[in-house]
Amino acid sequence: MNQRLLIYLFAFIFFACQPEKSEELSRWEAQAERVEIIRDDFGVPHIYGKSDADAVFGLLFAQCEDDFRRVERNYIWATGRLAELEGEKAIYSDLRANLYMTEAEAKAAYEKSPDWLKALCVAFADGVNYYLHTHPEVTPQVITKYEPWFPMYFSEGSIGGDIERISEAGIKAFYEGNQPLAFNNNTTPDILEEPKGSNGIAVSGKLTESGNAMLLINPHTSFYFRPEVHLVSEEGLNAYGAVTWGQFFVYQGFNEKTGWIHTSTFVDFIDEFEETITESEGEFFYEYGSETRNVEAHEIRLKYSEGDSIKEKSFKMFRTHHGPITHKEGDKWVATKINWDPVNALIQSYTRTKLNNHAEFKKMMDIRTNSSNNTVFADAEGNIAYFHGNFIPKRNPEFDFSKPVDGSNPATDWQGLHTVDESIMILNPGNGWIQNCNSTPFTASAEFSPKKEDYPAYMAPDQENFRGIHAVKVMKDVKNLNLDSFLALAYDSYIPAFEYLLPELTQAFLKAGKGKGELKEVIDLLAAWDYRTSKESVAMSVAHFYGENYQREFRSMNRFINENPEAKIPTETEILDVFAKTIEQMNADFGTWNTPWGEINRFQRLSGDIDLKYDDNAPYIPVGLASGNWGALAAYGAQTFEGTKRLYGYRGNSFVAVVEFGEKVKAKTILAGGQSSDPNSPHFTDQAQRYADANFKEVAFYKEDVEKRVEERYMPGARGKGK
């Protein structure tokens, strides 16, 4: 055999042995060629696709570039596989996920989805999988391949949401060791935890300089919970805002014509049904009217990590037509019913981003799956609106659904859902503004607010809070707003809780006839305070720790703004004891109580880890903002962490936007820290000082503006490769 023939033979054998490019990889690469990602000077990805599905593919790829671990963690949690990562302690989180949707049910929900939604779900999975294919240095922790049915686990099109209201402790007590009659040991939430919610304010054109409507988008989440994105397609998609890691739609944001901000609601949309259970030959039954029905029972094996090995634990899950059995009250099994309609929830969440005006938005709201949220809205036609809740079950008024009801009585069943027109709404109020800060809707537009007596109690059990009081105070005299003055209003430094709390302390001190000395010096400082926070304020430092200790001791600050006959009214002696202990604590922790707020209240981001560590001796940025518990509109939840005495921000203002609608949309935004989780990225903390200073960046919404601020331009998979 001659040499040339030998070479040809070897070449033939070599290429014949190469694996053919898979159909899946070919699909990914073809879709990547239809996507362009432009990173602007703050690292924000502007994603352009031929179709909506192309844009979704690019969006998930870009999210993984910025913080794959958060995308991954959300799906590990949602699909009920957290214990494989965190060990047996997380197995009841996984059981909760499966109680409401098993893998088979998620696949079935996906299969019944309309084709256009399936296409988006496929693009979601492909975007993540292509990222992993092109980044072999990234090792998945649990999920090695993402599937198009994964988004079905988000019951309202969000991450977390309703299912997190179901107590893991109750599930553990009931199902522990496969003993369904276990004791239920629920826990009480921490009263000092930073509120999980948001602020939304809409302003009509009669109060703005331009005559255009404006919107404040101010979600209060854990820091780094949502990045900032811009999605554009040739099928009419052009949405900008915050997306929860792993979602394929803008959750809080705006397009050219409409804007929306969700605020957490206290509408009663979850109910507990006590079931009367009998057992016969190993099967369980429940009473329903004159019937005896089978309790659905499903065997499931859940995996969990233990050291370097994976083990399994078996459970038998139970459901009635009311929902899964989640805990026990006395001798009754309790089924907890929530909104669980993932296909329609995803349809509602995605279509929301492509609407043109209030009429279209209201029609979308009548899908009624956005259960845990209120919505504040504005559009380019000049409308401002408010929707209090969205998924609101109709109930028999003869029963008190704030407590578990008798599931054996058919009269306690839900009787459908209230329509949007039956729920609490506001449209273009005469005062020209709407606010909601997770507070009662009955003060949302001052004298133009809805009337409490016109609605069932379960529609609005929400109480007033200090942020709501603050919002009303700053809005009542508004006029000639522009984006900058609107932003200043959203960051107003007044802290209303202490205007109620501190006079009580001052009066107690004066009545006690205390003399001079350190405590008198502090009292004089507080008495002279204007209740405004700043980095330089010592009064803010003292007020914060006094307020925390007051709440720990008496749990009754809300009595100042809400009727509560059972609230404890502390004695003067008790008040002064808390005050003295506060000063003693500050002297011990900081060397002196006379410490400016910015030396205590800090922003620090030392790594891109999900569970961050903090260090009093490491660099930080002083922050003058304060907790939403005290009524700060620009909420900054901070606390001590292991090994620290100083406070470090972890929740509150995260992504914030002010938006003006008109012939063209204009907006300014800020993120806590920056777009990237990579400490080596220039966008890891490039917004941190801006965040502390409320120095917002201009949004590049239109392509010509994006082009002026290009930092990188690439197709998915080709970043840094000159393409």
Side-chain angles (χ1 to χ4, degrees), residues 394-405:
K394 288 184 179 179
R395 301 162 169 105
N396 189 324
E398 295 181 7
F399 301 94
D400 180 4
F401 284 87
S402 66
K403 302 173 183 176
V405 294

Side-chain angles (χ1 to χ4, degrees), residues 74 112 150 282 306 375 465 503 556 572 691 703:
N74 281 339
K112 76 173 186 180
F150 280 9
E306 187 171 280
T375 304
N465 63 31
S556 64
E572 291 165 3
Y691 174 90
K703 188 67 176 286

Side-chain angles (χ1 to χ4, degrees), residues 407-421:
S408 69
N409 185 347
T412 63
D413 275 2
W414 287 356
Q415 301 165 4
L417 299 177
H418 285 281
T419 65
V420 172
D421 284 327

Side-chain angles (χ1 to χ4, degrees), residues 276-294:
T276 302
I277 302 293
T278 55
E279 182 182 4
S280 176
E281 298 181 354
E283 293 191 18
F284 293 94
F285 304 87
Y286 69 104
E287 303 301 319
Y288 182 68
S290 59
E291 304 175 47
T292 298
R293 296 185 173 186
N294 283 84

Side-chain angles (χ1 to χ4, degrees), residues 524-536:
D524 289 344
L525 175 74
L526 294 175
W529 188 33
D530 61 1
Y531 305 113
R532 292 193 172 273
T533 185
S534 69
K535 290 180 288 188
E536 298 76 24

Side-chain angles (χ1 to χ4, degrees), residues 85-105:
L85 178 65
E86 296 188 351
E88 192 174 5
K89 67 181 180 180
I91 205 161
Y92 293 98
S93 171
D94 294 347
L95 180 57
R96 179 177 64 184
N98 281 275
L99 281 169
Y100 284 93
M101 180 171 280
T102 63
E103 179 178 319
E105 289 166 332

Side-chain angles (χ1 to χ4, degrees), residues 183-371:
F183 175 70
N184 178 21
N185 181 25
N186 286 314
T187 57
T188 302
D190 182 1
I191 197 170
L192 296 177
E193 184 180 12
E194 184 66 18
K196 299 175 183 177
S198 305
N199 299 339
I201 299 177
V203 185
S204 77
K206 69 181 184 180
L207 299 179
T208 66
E209 197 175 80
S210 63
N212 298 323
M214 299 173 69
L215 182 67
L216 169 68
I217 299 172
N218 187 190
H220 294 163
T221 65
S222 55
F223 290 174
Y224 325 118
F225 184 67
R226 293 191 179 110
E228 186 171 343
V229 302
H230 184 198
L231 275 175
V232 185
S233 84
E234 295 177 14
E235 294 181 338
L237 177 64
N238 192 359
Y240 194 107
V243 57
T244 313
W245 297 107
Q247 283 180 339
F248 58 75
F249 53 85
V250 171
Y251 190 61
Q252 313 264 32
F254 58 95
N255 59 37
E256 189 175 28
K257 299 297 184 183
T258 66
W260 59 96
I261 162 67
H262 302 308
T263 65
S264 298
T265 190
F266 291 93
V267 170
D268 183 5
F269 59 87
I270 297 177
D271 282 324
E272 296 178 339
F273 295 84
E274 294 183 339
E275 310 289 20
T276 302
I277 302 293
T278 55
E279 182 182 4
S280 176
E281 298 181 354
E283 293 191 18
F284 293 94
F285 304 87
Y286 69 104
E287 303 301 319
Y288 182 68
S290 59
E291 304 175 47
T292 298
R293 296 185 173 186
N294 283 84
V295 176
E296 290 182 41
H298 302 274
E299 292 280 355
I300 187 168
R301 297 185 66 82
L302 297 177
K303 296 178 180 179
Y304 64 94
S305 60
E306 187 171 280
D308 294 330
S309 62
I310 294 291
K311 297 188 174 182
E312 289 188 349
K313 196 167 186 176
S314 179
F315 294 93
K316 182 177 281 189
M317 304 187 299
F318 299 104
R319 294 176 182 167
T320 71
H321 77 283
H322 292 122
I325 302 299
T326 57
H327 62 283
K328 190 179 179 189
E329 295 280 351
D331 61 350
K332 300 285 188 180
W333 291 16
V334 179
T336 303
K337 188 175 181 66
I338 65 175
N339 165 33
W340 200 268
D341 187 5
V343 174
N344 281 321
L346 287 167
I347 289 171
Q348 180 168 359
S349 293
Y350 189 80
T351 57
R352 180 170 53 230
T353 67
K354 297 183 71 173
L355 304 178
N356 293 306
N357 52 40
H358 174 262
E360 293 181 8
F361 199 89
K362 184 183 175 188
K363 183 178 179 181
M364 172 276 301
M365 290 292 283
D366 211 38
I367 299 174
R368 292 172 292 173
T369 57
N370 191 9
S371 45

Side-chain angles (χ1 to χ4, degrees), residues 217-219 226-228 240-242 252 653-657 669-672:
I217 299 172
N218 187 190
R226 293 191 179 110
E228 186 171 343
Y240 194 107
Q252 313 264 32
N653 276 25
S654 44
F655 167 81
V656 189
T669 62
I670 201 73
L671 272 179

